[in-house]
Every structure is written in C-alpha cells, then in structure tokens.
C-alpha cells in the first residue's frame, strides 16, 4: 500500500514537474489549498522563532510559501521529494530533510516546539489511514513536541478524491483525547479539519 502511494506521487511528479503543486496531489498548480492549510497552522501557533518538525514534508512546501522558523527538520518517505527539498533549501544548519517513515521509527530523543503534518494524514497507505496507525502517528508526534498540528480530510466532504482517506472528526478527537486532554479541533469547512494537541506541561 505504501509503495503504491509513493509510486502514485512519482507518477504525478513526472507528469507535472517539481514546480507544480499537483505533483504533491494538491488541487492546483500554485498550491492554493496547501498554502491555506499552512496559514491556518501558523495562525494557531506562529512558526517564527520555533523549532519545527514536519511529517510528510514533500519537496519543502513549508519554505515555498515563505514560512520561517528557528530550526526545521522535514521527514518524507519519498526520496525524490527529499532530494528536491535538499537541493532547494538544504545545506544550512537550520533546515534539514530526511527520507524517513515515522510509521516504522522516529527518534523520541528529538524535541521540537511544533510538529506538523499537512496533506499527509489522508493518504491511503500513509501514516494515519488505519485506526492503529492514526493512534501511533498522534502519539509519536506528541512525544517529540510541545504542540502537534495535523490537517485531516473530513468525512463531511461532498467531493472526494481517489487515494484519500476521509476522517470522522469525532473519531479523531476521541483518539486524541486518549493521549491528552489538551486538544482542539477546528472544523470551519466541510472539506477538512485541523487537530491541535498541546503538552500538559
């Protein structure tokens, strides 16, 4: 399933190239919806002066849209995307991109102010598409950061895309509440919602 997902992204990359956000399965060339989701996260917890880890960093979209932070590590299972990200933004001490599947391992000694995932949770074959994977992803991200921000496709969506898992906000909220009581769910439109978990410290 995971291999099929990576192959699908690589087919899109070959079709659209490394400057068209449709390669990352966003709706348009300019990545309008991707930018909106990052902006929503940044409005919740300003990235500036924070250490940030991104799960499913793609080719460095965070920086494509001009967001800034103190330190950044990005993980993605697609080596082609990570190669593009490192060519565009790597090579500095405060920006690093790695090929890594958090479903199999994440170094819990890493500590960040904010961990984010935008556009990755909904991938069928990705880190959250099954109940046990969702729980594992939330727990791992929570264990390495003060604040977790994840965007999920909502099962309230009236239009659906192939290869995308749509989540019940009630179920995601219940799963998060088994990890911490400090949870916020923002569901402002029918297409997706943002989940926030904060450390109780």
């Amino acid at each position: 399933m995971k291999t099929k997902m990576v192959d699908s992204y690589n087919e899109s990359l070959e079709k659209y190239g490394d400057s068209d956000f449709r390669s990352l399965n966003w709706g348009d060339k300019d990545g309008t919806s991707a930018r909106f989701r990052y902006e929503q996260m940044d409005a919740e917890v300003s990235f500036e002066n924070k250490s940030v880890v991104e799960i499913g960093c793609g080719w460095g979209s965070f920086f494509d849209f001009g967001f800034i932070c103190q330190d950044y590590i990005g993980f993605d299972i697609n080596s082609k995307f990570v190669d593009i990200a490192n060519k565009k933004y790597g090579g500095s001490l405060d920006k690093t991109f790695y090929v890594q599947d958090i479903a199999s391992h994440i170094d819990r000694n890493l500590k960040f102010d904010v961990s984010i995932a935008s556009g990755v949770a909904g991938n069928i074959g990705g880190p959250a598409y099954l109940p046990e994977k969702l729980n594992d992803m939330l727990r791992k991200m929570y264990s390495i950061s003060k604040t977790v921000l994840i965007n999920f496709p909502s099962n309230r969506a009236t239009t659906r895309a192939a290869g995308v898992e749509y989540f019940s906000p009630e179920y995601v909220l219940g799963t998060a509440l088994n990890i911490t009581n400090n949870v916020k769910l923002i569901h402002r439109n029918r297409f997706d919602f943002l989940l926030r978990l904060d450390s109780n410290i």
Side-chain angles (χ1 to χ4, degrees):
M1 189 73 76
K2 183 171 63 177
T3 302
K4 184 177 178 182
M5 178 185 67
V6 172
D7 288 345
S8 174
Y9 274 109
N10 286 338
E11 287 171 15
S12 294
L13 180 61
E14 184 154 336
K15 180 177 180 180
Y16 296 113
D18 61 9
S19 60
D20 186 325
F21 280 87
R22 289 174 293 181
S23 294
L24 298 169
N25 287 344
W26 293 107
D28 64 14
K29 179 178 180 179
D30 298 323
T32 306
S33 55
R35 179 190 293 272
F36 169 78
R37 284 158 183 80
Y38 280 117
E39 287 172 347
Q40 188 180 31
M41 290 180 174
D42 188 49
E44 274 295 307
V45 179
S46 174
F47 298 134
E48 192 170 356
N49 300 318
K50 301 280 196 321
S51 57
V52 175
V53 59
E54 181 169 18
I55 309 304
C57 62
W59 62 39
S61 303
F62 181 92
F63 299 103
D64 288 342
F65 297 127
F67 292 101
I68 58 173
C69 59
Q70 181 177 326
D71 294 293
Y72 175 96
I73 291 180
F75 295 116
D76 203 287
I77 64 169
N78 190 319
S79 61
K80 290 186 179 181
F81 287 155
V82 171
D83 287 345
I84 295 167
N86 276 313
K87 285 174 186 170
K88 290 199 298 185
Y89 301 112
S92 65
L93 294 175
D94 61 345
K95 299 183 190 73
T96 314
F97 302 89
Y98 296 101
V99 179
Q100 178 69 56
D101 181 2
I102 69 154
S104 58
H105 175 73
I106 194 164
D107 185 350
R108 292 177 189 262
N109 293 316
L110 296 170
K111 297 297 175 189
F112 300 89
D113 294 317
V114 186
S115 60
I116 64 174
S118 182
V120 67
N123 285 324
I124 292 178
Y129 80 109
L130 296 174
E132 62 272 18
K133 285 183 168 256
L134 170 64
N135 180 65
D136 187 54
M137 179 182 182
L138 294 181
R139 287 187 182 278
K140 283 177 177 173
M141 292 177 72
Y142 183 75
S143 72
I144 62 169
S145 59
K146 296 175 185 174
T147 300
V148 176
L149 297 167
I150 307 175
N151 178 270
F152 290 90
S154 175
N155 67 358
R156 306 304 202 266
T158 52
T159 56
R160 306 269 177 124
V164 175
E165 180 71 21
Y166 292 84
F167 290 81
S168 159
E170 295 89 350
Y171 181 79
V172 171
L173 180 61
T175 303
L177 285 168
N178 286 327
I179 298 169
T180 176
N181 292 321
N182 203 348
V183 176
K184 181 178 182 181
L185 191 143
I186 304 161
H187 200 309
R188 291 190 176 139
N189 63 68
R190 65 181 179 271
F191 299 107
D192 55 48
F193 58 90
L194 180 65
L195 180 72
R196 173 176 177 170
L197 287 72
D198 286 285
S199 168
N200 289 316
I201 299 172

